[in-house]
Amino acid sequence: MSLIVQKYGGTSVANIDRIKNVAQRVLKTQRAGNQVVVVVSAMSGETNRLLGLANHACEMPNERELDVIASTGEQVTTALLSMCIHQLGGEAISLQGHQVKILTDNAFSKARILSIDAEILKKYLSQGQVVVVAGFQGVDSEGHITTLGRGGSDTTGVALAAALKADSCEIYTDVDGVYTTDPNICERAQKIEKVSYEEMLEMASVGAKVLQIRSVEFGAKYNVPIHVRSSFNENPGTLVCQEDSTMESVVVTAIAYDKNEVKIAVRQVPDKPGVAMKVFSPIALANINVDMIVQNVSEKGATDLTFTVPKADFKKALQIVNAVAKDIGAEKVESYENIAKVSIIGVGMRSHAGVAAKTFEVLAKEGINIQMISTSEIKISLVIEDKYTELAVRTLHTAFGLDKK
């Protein structure tokens, strides 16, 4: 008997008919002789609706109360799916984050899982029940409801698989797997059969929306194979797993993009020790993730400091940076919302030279100006004007031989 964790995203449970389809798939898996834990997201669009209510009520809602509101979407889905399983003759029970004891820190809206008590899950599984768990939810040490950030149900699924030592973790979504780029903007994108944790981490961090980055971190840490599949067909998907020797033969695995960042530039910052710390420490204390950072060469004792943050944190970050700029004697703060980050990813880049040069050449031929550059061992990320995003992605996809044959 195998233990399988299945996670179904918002589009897979968007309405009652789709929830009934999930119930049928779950029971088919269980009746094949498996124990099944199911993690579900809120119905498609529901989290946005709930957050919209909050933002309509208050310009800058309290983050604790936002989590209380946002977590209710998953609660509804768990109950509906359990009801549908019962209707089909199965046995199921719905559990929320606090009932499973998914303990997190207290970083509301982007909490991190600290521990999971898997005993209650094992109890219901031993009784032959399908256990339906609310994704995205947790609880901190003081009993406050927390949420894990956008895509957090992925993390719930993989974390439960790790805690239960499950045989596999299946992530069901509205696409057949992980693609070489977004098929919505590049019809020549092709499905990747197998991708390493490291590549998937980079892809998730730079805009690929198939998996939340922390779910991949859990998978890599606890060696949980993650199978990304469509909930609307039986096609094989993409396996996210440990790197093997065949993966390095492909120089570039994927092209990703992200339009959900903004650029903030602090002009004429005094160039002396400790200034960068004064800029970034309060941002970190506010639980805002800073992505790319560029500092210009010092001229006449001053420099420019430019970085990117998520659009969702833009107002809060700008408020903090404006206060810091006055304190350190910077000349001014500028912000740019119309940007996009385009990234080239592949473990083969470790052993193949010339990827950066080729990237710059391709974009130069298209007249696309590069505003910022960041690199890692297997990734090159570029900030460009957002109106050139689709052109850049398609051109690079072709240039690195990723087009569907």
Side-chain angles (χ1 to χ4, degrees), residues 274-387:
V275 169
M277 178 270 292
K278 288 182 179 179
V279 173
F280 293 111
S281 288
I283 295 174
L285 287 172
N287 284 312
I288 297 171
N289 289 325
V290 174
D291 184 17
M292 300 172 71
I293 303 173
V294 172
Q295 180 173 323
N296 291 343
V297 176
S298 178
E299 187 175 329
K300 296 181 180 178
T303 186
D304 292 341
L305 197 58
T306 307
F307 55 94
T308 61
V309 297
K311 273 187 179 176
D313 294 321
F314 174 48
K315 287 183 181 178
K316 192 198 302 187
L318 195 59
Q319 193 175 48
I320 292 168
V321 174
N322 277 323
V324 172
K326 288 181 182 178
D327 182 52
I328 63 175
E331 184 181 283
K332 59 181 177 179
V333 176
E334 297 174 345
S335 59
Y336 307 85
E337 296 186 61
N338 299 321
I339 64 163
K341 179 172 66 177
V342 176
S343 302
I344 300 94
I345 303 113
V347 292
M349 290 166 61
R350 291 196 193 108
S351 52
H352 293 78
V355 176
K358 187 172 184 177
T359 300
F360 303 150
E361 180 185 356
V362 167
L363 296 184
K365 284 181 178 177
E366 296 295 337
I368 300 173
N369 186 47
I370 300 169
Q371 300 179 18
M372 299 174 73
I373 302 169
S374 173
T375 64
S376 75
E377 196 175 25
I378 66 166
K379 178 195 71 180
I380 299 169
S381 289
L382 315 164
V383 169
I384 61 173
E385 198 173 346
D386 63 353
K387 68 181 181 181

Side-chain angles (χ1 to χ4, degrees), residues 121-150:
L121 298 172
K122 293 176 182 177
K123 181 182 90 170
Y124 289 119
L125 287 170
S126 68
Q127 296 171 1
Q129 303 222 49
V130 172
V131 185
V132 184
V133 180
F136 184 59
Q137 296 181 1
V139 61
D140 71 10
S141 59
E142 296 183 12
H144 302 302
I145 293 171
T146 59
T147 65
L148 308 180
R150 287 290 184 176

Side-chain angles (χ1 to χ4, degrees), residues 14 43 108 116 119 199 208 233 308 310 328 355:
M43 298 167 76
F108 297 110
I116 293 176
E119 293 309 308
E199 287 173 315
N233 59 51
T308 61
I328 63 175
V355 176

Side-chain angles (χ1 to χ4, degrees), residues 22-145:
V22 168
Q24 290 171 342
R25 297 182 74 105
V26 169
L27 282 175
K28 182 180 177 182
T29 303
Q30 187 195 43
R31 288 166 181 169
N34 303 299
Q35 293 181 317
V36 186
V37 174
V38 186
V39 175
V40 290
S41 299
M43 298 167 76
S44 182
E46 181 64 7
T47 303
N48 285 340
R49 185 187 73 84
L50 293 167
L51 294 177
L53 289 173
N55 287 311
H56 187 66
C58 179
E59 186 177 347
M60 292 188 71
N62 177 277
E63 289 184 333
R64 179 195 181 278
E65 306 308 331
L66 270 180
D67 276 7
V68 173
I69 291 171
S71 65
T72 61
E74 281 70 19
Q75 183 168 333
V76 171
T77 317
T78 58
L80 289 172
L81 179 56
S82 295
M83 291 175 187
C84 289
I85 291 172
H86 282 288
Q87 183 73 19
L88 293 170
E91 292 293 328
I93 184 168
S94 64
L95 296 173
Q96 308 311 302
H98 68 277
Q99 293 174 301
V100 183
K101 294 185 176 63
I102 299 176
L103 183 67
T104 74
D105 60 21
N106 61 359
F108 297 110
S109 81
K110 57 186 74 170
R112 299 185 73 89
I113 295 174
L114 302 177
S115 66
I116 293 176
D117 183 355
E119 293 309 308
I120 190 169
L121 298 172
K122 293 176 182 177
K123 181 182 90 170
Y124 289 119
L125 287 170
S126 68
Q127 296 171 1
Q129 303 222 49
V130 172
V131 185
V132 184
V133 180
F136 184 59
Q137 296 181 1
V139 61
D140 71 10
S141 59
E142 296 183 12
H144 302 302
I145 293 171

